[in-house]
Amino acid sequence: MGVWTFTSVFSFDMKLSRWGTNEDLIIQILAHRNAEQRKLIRQTYAEAYGEDLLKALDKELSNDFERLILLWTLEPAERDAYLANEATKKWTSSNQVLMEIACTRSANQLLHARQAYHARFKKSLEEDVAHHTTGDFRKLLLPLVSSYRYEGDEVNLTLAKSEAKILHEKISGKAYNDEDLIRILATRSKAQINATLNHYKNEYGNDINKDLKADPKDEFLALLRATVKCLVRPEKYFEKVLRLAINKRGTDEGALTRVVATRAEIDLKIIAEEYQKRSSVPLDHAIGKDTHGDYEKMLLALLGHEA
């Protein structure tokens, strides 16, 4: 069945709300459509009924299932803008969502997110980050969200050696908010940063994140460590987010929803493999144990989603 037929079925079903919303059909249609197809479904629905599909869904759905459908149906840049705006308005020093978006997206994806932010909120992401964050957090986050990194694989080994020395000197001196340390993390290409950090470990004996654990309770150091992990091993960062979200003390549905919705078409299968290595439990089993109903069904459908 083609996307247009799916759109017609979905639209017809949504308009017959007096019969009750068919959540299984929503999952069947949306969970198995890629970003371009979801965009076409949303456009066709608007043309047919004069209403944004997301507004129609908002009337029919609720709770965590609604949020997962919302994030999944938004275009990727629009979704990042939405999450970033939410993070600025609810910002605390332990909130890593802004850094996550800035460091795990490509240069063009981050640029498109900033453009989507302009279009949706009539202001810039940079001004909101500057307004809502303070101190060292602002000093790090503002250049991160403003960045447009080089995407190539070329690496300057001489530069890697010299900047590894700078990083070691600053960290040894506990100058964690130093301008050069932040400049390196916020502007260098991911390939260059990886080379620098490899040299750091080879020359000074420790992984940089081990040296950034001087005070495990320091939230700025936690953000620096997460920044490094997002830049060089994003799958390990997201695995940890999921592991902390699904635990014996209760489920953090916000983090679980965000990771599944934003990574399903990118690297969720790799993240799931990392999760099983670390936890000895398949991610789908962990999700099935901690969630239920339509929310669980949609999460599991996205976990098996083919990009």
Side-chain angles (χ1 to χ4, degrees):
M1 188 180 292
V3 66
W4 301 115
T5 310
F6 266 109
T7 306
S8 300
V9 171
F10 184 74
S11 302
F12 180 73
D13 182 75
M14 288 301 298
K15 283 297 171 180
L16 294 179
S17 58
R18 61 192 174 90
W19 295 104
T21 306
N22 188 335
E23 285 85 355
D24 286 339
L25 183 60
I26 294 172
I27 294 168
Q28 177 188 349
I29 295 168
L30 291 179
H32 304 289
R33 296 291 166 265
N34 64 32
E36 186 59 32
Q37 290 169 330
R38 297 193 304 275
K39 179 180 178 181
L40 289 172
I41 289 172
R42 192 174 165 193
Q43 287 176 346
T44 304
Y45 188 94
E47 290 167 2
Y49 298 105
E51 181 181 28
D52 189 335
L53 173 59
L54 293 177
K55 288 186 178 179
L57 289 168
D58 183 56
K59 297 173 186 175
E60 301 291 334
L61 307 178
S62 61
N63 302 323
D64 298 316
F65 180 56
E66 177 191 2
R67 181 170 173 82
L68 180 56
I69 291 291
L70 165 69
L71 292 181
W72 179 243
T73 306
L74 287 169
E75 292 181 51
E78 190 180 8
R79 178 171 61 216
D80 282 344
Y82 179 89
L83 288 168
N85 179 258
E86 201 173 57
T88 60
K89 290 191 293 187
K90 299 178 181 178
W91 187 80
T92 66
S93 56
S94 62
N95 189 324
Q96 297 183 350
V97 174
L98 291 168
M99 177 283 304
E100 178 183 303
I101 291 170
C103 295
T104 63
R105 281 31 167 192
S106 69
N108 279 334
Q109 286 169 343
L110 182 55
L111 174 62
H112 293 155
R114 291 200 297 264
Q115 291 170 336
Y117 201 100
H118 287 189
R120 183 171 183 133
F121 301 110
K122 311 307 177 188
K123 51 187 172 178
S124 73
L125 173 58
E126 296 89 331
E127 69 182 285
D128 270 356
V129 170
H131 177 70
H132 290 285
T133 61
T134 58
D136 292 343
F137 295 92
R138 179 192 290 163
K139 195 173 181 179
L140 175 62
L141 288 170
L142 189 55
L144 283 178
V145 300
S146 307
S147 184
Y148 189 82
R149 299 176 193 271
Y150 175 62
E151 296 271 288
D153 294 328
E154 292 84 356
V155 166
N156 183 326
L157 293 178
T158 302
L159 182 64
K161 183 177 180 179
S162 66
E163 293 195 332
K165 182 180 180 182
I166 290 172
L167 292 175
H168 185 258
E169 288 174 351
K170 302 306 178 184
I171 293 170
S172 297
K174 298 187 176 181
Y176 305 120
N177 64 352
D178 181 82
E179 289 183 2
D180 279 333
L181 186 154
I182 290 174
R183 171 186 59 79
I184 292 165
L185 293 180
T187 65
R188 294 300 185 199
S189 74
K190 293 177 182 179
Q192 184 67 40
I193 288 173
N194 196 51
T196 298
L197 299 187
N198 284 339
H199 188 84
Y200 183 104
K201 184 174 183 178
N202 292 337
E203 186 70 19
Y204 304 110
N206 279 339
D207 185 275
I208 191 172
N209 271 1
K210 186 173 182 180
D211 288 344
L212 287 170
K213 282 186 179 176
D215 181 357
K217 295 182 180 179
D218 186 312
E219 290 182 328
F220 181 68
L221 285 184
L223 183 62
L224 278 177
R225 292 194 301 273
T227 299
V228 169
K229 193 173 284 189
C230 277
L231 289 169
V232 297
R233 295 296 299 276
E235 69 280 2
K236 287 190 174 293
Y237 166 84
F238 286 113
E239 180 279 324
K240 184 176 181 181
V241 173
L242 289 178
R243 182 161 33 89
L244 293 176
I246 308 170
N247 61 69
K248 294 177 182 178
R249 294 185 298 276
T251 306
D252 179 352
E253 289 86 0
L256 176 58
T257 297
R258 185 183 77 251
V259 173
V260 171
T262 59
R263 308 311 291 183
E265 290 179 293
I266 302 171
D267 56 1
L268 188 56
K269 289 192 185 331
I270 298 171
I271 295 165
E273 290 169 4
E274 289 288 334
Y275 183 92
Q276 184 163 355
K277 285 180 191 175
R278 181 64 188 259
S279 304
S280 300
V281 176
L283 180 57
D284 57 343
H285 289 188
I287 288 174
K289 185 177 179 181
D290 272 43
T291 61
H292 61 275
D294 296 317
Y295 179 55
E296 175 194 355
K297 291 178 186 176
M298 185 66 180
L299 287 169
L300 293 178
L302 293 182
L303 186 58
H305 179 82
E306 294 292 340

